[in-house]
Amino acid sequence: MKIRNKLYFSFFAVVLVPVLIVGIYLTVELKRMALNNAIDQNTANVERVKKRTSDMLKVAYDISYRLYNDHRLSQLATHRYDSIYSVVKSYKSYPDFREYEDLYKEVSGIRLYFDNPTLLNNWEFLQPNADIEGKFWYERAMKTNGLIAWNYIEDDRNGQYNLSLIRRLDFTEDNAKGVLVININSALLNGILNQETFETMIVDEYDNIVAANRPGRVGKTLVDAHFDKNIADRSTGTFNAVVDGRKSRILIEGWNPTDSLNGLRIISVFSVDSIVHEPNRIIRLAVVVISSSILIALLLIYGFSSLLTGRLLRLSKQFSRVASGKLDAALPIDGRDEIGQLSRQFNAMVGRIHELIMEVQDTNAQKSLLEKRQSEIKFRMMASQINPHFLFNTLESIRMKAVLHKEAEIARVVRLLGKLMRQSIEAGHSHVPLASEIDVVKCYLDIQKFRYGERLSYELAIDPRAESIPLPALIIQPLVENAVIHGLENKEEGVTVRVDAEWREDGVHIRVTDDGAGMTAERVDELDAHLRERDEDEEEETGRIGLRNVHMRMKLSYGPEYGLHIESEPERGTRIYFVIPHQPGGGIVHVQRTDRG
């Protein structure tokens, strides 16, 4: 990289990157602070609305409490009248409903539903008809023991909807019962919400919007207002959602007024874009200022780098002359800075060049000697392997301990492991009888069955005529190992591995099959291509003897026409097939195998 480019890179690394990191951090932090402040303000607004609304609803609760214990109201409602005159006279003697409405602006209407045929229906005392008695709020009030319910219901006198207090009144005379309904002043309730900055709503238990500071919301449900149903069903909490196509934050606060059967919820919504609008404006201004500063800095760096690189280029030309063998090159001293100092040192360097060459030669000789010594050390380290007989004797000691403690299964597996390791290490012979190879396979499968239990089962079907035929050592066991590992990989119910050896005229046909998950045709083609790659590294990274190792040894033993063949179908298992020809010294294997997993 040229000096000029390094200066540019240093500028980006030292100035631009930190500025970007700080800018991104400040941007995120500024937006986060704005959102947190908005959430805090929103929470305070909701608490203020909750308090003011609770004070308003408490007025209706106090009125209902007085009427619940009003003996005069009980006498008026339960008395059996003999004339219209007496009814009118009783109504005039009980002006409490109208007085409460005039005295408390929080209440817009009071009415009592009572089943007394001698009463006259007016705006205050009403006979419940079948339609009223079928309303959900009336039925629930008659079933509850004086508890208050708050619902957004229709006033059957004028057809308007109001948030209403609904309560059953129990009269002592004749154990009579009536339903008291007190309407809350909707205009006053909406006025409380209109003082809030964010969109705020009061919702009843059936998601009816009873009050809101946004026009067109009152009377609708949350579903009508396009609220996510998963959020509309929540009783409390803060949520992120998209409202009216804008990313928004929703705060839900629920509360149960005094002695209430049900509760109300206050929902406040604010747009995230509206909150981060001012931080975004500040960020845009900061980007303009920072970009201008960076541009000016780049121009200054360009001018400085041009002066610096010009002097360096002259120095580079003299170095090139020396590199080409012209040791008589002399560089005039230029300046008193580092470049000038380098020029003076250049002249002294040329005079010592021959000495340096000799030093390099000596260094190379020492390096060669060191590498030779290192190779000898590596060879000695490789030669100092642990005697495998020590491991066999240790396994035999473990097995004897298991036998003494009557752990027959552990003793059997340790014996099989020792036998498997001994046979594997002693497999230095080029060819072994098929019976010996099957013995190794059986030891391996017994050990794996001890490990996996009922998940693994196996079958061995060996033609007795084929047991004496020679074949390369450790040629079947890697295939069985591959079938066990990949067969059990994605199959919880287990897998069955089968090894078949059949005597035929052209040789001994050997198959290794499993009923695992199988492979797709594309995977089989990929595996076949891997077997035929001209790569000397046929060992897998896991340290196990891989399929490519077996394939290459078969071809080297019996010729290029022999090798492994693989067949597989998804969910139908895998088959590896190979043939050992009737030849002295062994046979070749064609394997077809399909992995289920």
Side-chain angles (χ1 to χ4, degrees), residues 58 61 148 150 255-260:
K58 191 175 184 300
Y61 170 77
I148 293 172
W150 299 91
W255 95 99
N256 278 56
T258 308
D259 294 339
S260 297

Side-chain angles (χ1 to χ4, degrees), residues 396-408 411:
E396 181 64 19
S397 298
I398 295 173
R399 187 182 72 83
M400 292 304 299
K401 285 286 187 180
V403 171
L404 291 176
H405 288 81
K406 298 182 179 181
E407 293 289 345

Side-chain angles (χ1 to χ4, degrees), residues 33-45:
M33 292 176 59
L35 286 175
N36 289 340
N37 291 336
I39 292 174
D40 293 340
Q41 180 183 351
N42 198 14
T43 303
N45 293 348

Side-chain angles (χ1 to χ4, degrees), residues 384-448:
S384 61
Q385 300 294 322
I386 297 175
N387 190 342
H389 293 286
F390 168 76
L391 182 58
F392 300 150
N393 294 335
T394 303
L395 288 175
E396 181 64 19
S397 298
I398 295 173
R399 187 182 72 83
M400 292 304 299
K401 285 286 187 180
V403 171
L404 291 176
H405 288 81
K406 298 182 179 181
E407 293 289 345
E409 183 66 15
I410 296 178
R412 186 180 70 85
V413 173
V414 170
R415 180 181 61 80
L416 290 175
L417 179 59
K419 182 178 179 181
L420 178 62
M421 293 184 62
R422 184 180 297 275
Q423 291 177 341
S424 298
I425 293 177
E426 293 177 353
H429 304 289
S430 60
H431 291 80
V432 297
L434 176 61
S436 297
E437 182 71 4
I438 295 300
D439 195 21
V440 173
V441 170
K442 188 175 185 304
C443 288
Y444 173 80
L445 288 172
D446 284 339
I447 292 173
Q448 293 293 56

